[in-house]
Every structure is written in C-alpha cells, then in structure tokens.
Amino acid sequence: MTISLHKYESGFFPINSGGLDEIGETWGRGFNINIPFHHGIDDKQYLEFFTRLLPKVNSSFQPEIFVIQCGADTLFGDPMKSFNLTTKCIINCIKQIIDLNKPMLLLGGGGYNISDTARLWTSIVGVCLDEILDNDIPEHDYFSYYGPDFTLETWPGNRTNKNSQLYLDKII
C-alpha cells in the first residue's frame, strides 16, 4: 500500500496526479491512498490528520514494514512554498510510526532548502537513535547557512492556509 500526503492544487506538479479518487489500478486497486492537502497546512492540522490516519491504516492494512519518504519540501522554509510545517511536526509523525514497533526504512526526499533539509534529516536520525540532540548548530564550514538563529528546529510559517477542518474531515 502506498499513502502519499502531498500538496494538490492546479498547476502544482505533478499536474493532474495525486487526487483522492486515484486509488490504484488492476491488481493494485485499493492499495493507493492520496492525501491531497491544499496550500498552507500547518503543524496542528497535519499532526491531527496524521494521528487520525495512522491507526486506521495500521489496523486495516496491517503493514509488516513501513517505508517512509521524509520530504523536507513540506517545511515552511522550502522554496516550493507549499506548507507551514516545522521539523517538530514531521518528527512527531515519525515517532508515532516508531511507536508501532515495526521495521521501517526511512528515505530522504524532497527538500530544496539545504539547511532546512539537513535540520530535518539530522532530527530524524536523532529520533531513530533515541538521542536528544542539542538545538544549537555547532560551528562548521557551512555554519553561516543556518543563520540567523543557528538552531536545529525550524519555525512555522504564515502562508495562507487553504485547508478547512471540513475539507480535512472529508478526506478522512
């Protein structure tokens, strides 16, 4: 089964793909779930949605393993300018999957802001190793990329959120 949580709007790639009604074809029919978010979803909505979705998927499909593509393009600072998410939100989702105590493979993907992508993937590795990481970025050759705050956490954005609670409830 493939579940994809992604931005879905006219003109946003991949064009004409990723709609809620696209559920797979032939032998794969019913094994594809698209979660088409609109522009600007925030941490609170994303996390509430994920928290509602994961137990349903786990109980109905009963996966033996999770393969997770950790897209850093969901973060507010990404040049794709899609969502208002922070590393804390994505980390919380990863923790929920870890708590299911099933094998998992984490893959990097999406992320066009180098420093924010590094922040997210570093945070994910820390969670997987059950290590509490210092929020202060240590000095290194690329330290200036992490300004102005030089911290591991990213901050929420203020893009217009086009995801109403009614829309998200309808998707669930």
Side-chain angles (χ1 to χ4, degrees), residues 52-92:
R52 289 173 65 188
L53 177 67
L54 182 62
K56 291 179 183 210
V57 168
N58 192 46
S59 66
S60 63
F61 185 69
Q62 299 178 358
E64 294 176 20
I65 185 171
F66 284 88
V67 178
I68 305 125
Q69 189 268 359
C70 306
D73 52 354
T74 60
L75 299 175
F76 170 70
D78 194 84
M80 296 306 295
K81 301 185 185 305
S82 296
F83 297 154
N84 289 307
L85 303 185
T86 67
T87 52
K88 276 186 177 180
C89 176
I90 304 303
I91 292 304
N92 197 310

Side-chain angles (χ1 to χ4, degrees), residues 32-163:
N32 184 66
I33 299 174
N34 281 307
I35 308 297
F37 293 129
H38 295 308
H39 180 84
I41 195 163
D42 59 28
D43 279 3
K44 182 178 182 290
Q45 284 181 317
Y46 193 94
L47 192 53
E48 284 176 2
F49 190 94
F50 189 87
T51 301
R52 289 173 65 188
L53 177 67
L54 182 62
K56 291 179 183 210
V57 168
N58 192 46
S59 66
S60 63
F61 185 69
Q62 299 178 358
E64 294 176 20
I65 185 171
F66 284 88
V67 178
I68 305 125
Q69 189 268 359
C70 306
D73 52 354
T74 60
L75 299 175
F76 170 70
D78 194 84
M80 296 306 295
K81 301 185 185 305
S82 296
F83 297 154
N84 289 307
L85 303 185
T86 67
T87 52
K88 276 186 177 180
C89 176
I90 304 303
I91 292 304
N92 197 310
C93 294
I94 298 296
K95 284 180 180 178
Q96 288 183 50
I97 297 170
I98 289 171
D99 288 346
L100 295 175
N101 202 28
K102 294 186 179 186
M104 60 186 225
L105 173 64
L106 294 163
L107 306 169
Y112 308 96
N113 175 315
I114 295 169
S115 55
D116 280 357
T117 300
R119 284 177 167 106
L120 177 62
W121 294 349
T122 299
S123 299
I124 289 170
V125 169
V127 166
C128 290
L129 296 175
D130 201 22
E131 291 287 331
I132 297 173
L133 303 177
D134 190 339
N135 193 39
D136 292 329
I137 303 282
E139 289 197 38
H140 62 291
D141 290 347
Y142 300 97
F143 185 71
S144 63
Y145 287 30
Y146 296 88
D149 59 355
F150 306 98
T151 59
L152 192 56
E153 289 182 14
T154 59
W155 302 102
N158 57 359
R159 293 189 176 95
T160 302
N161 186 345
K162 297 181 180 178
N163 296 277

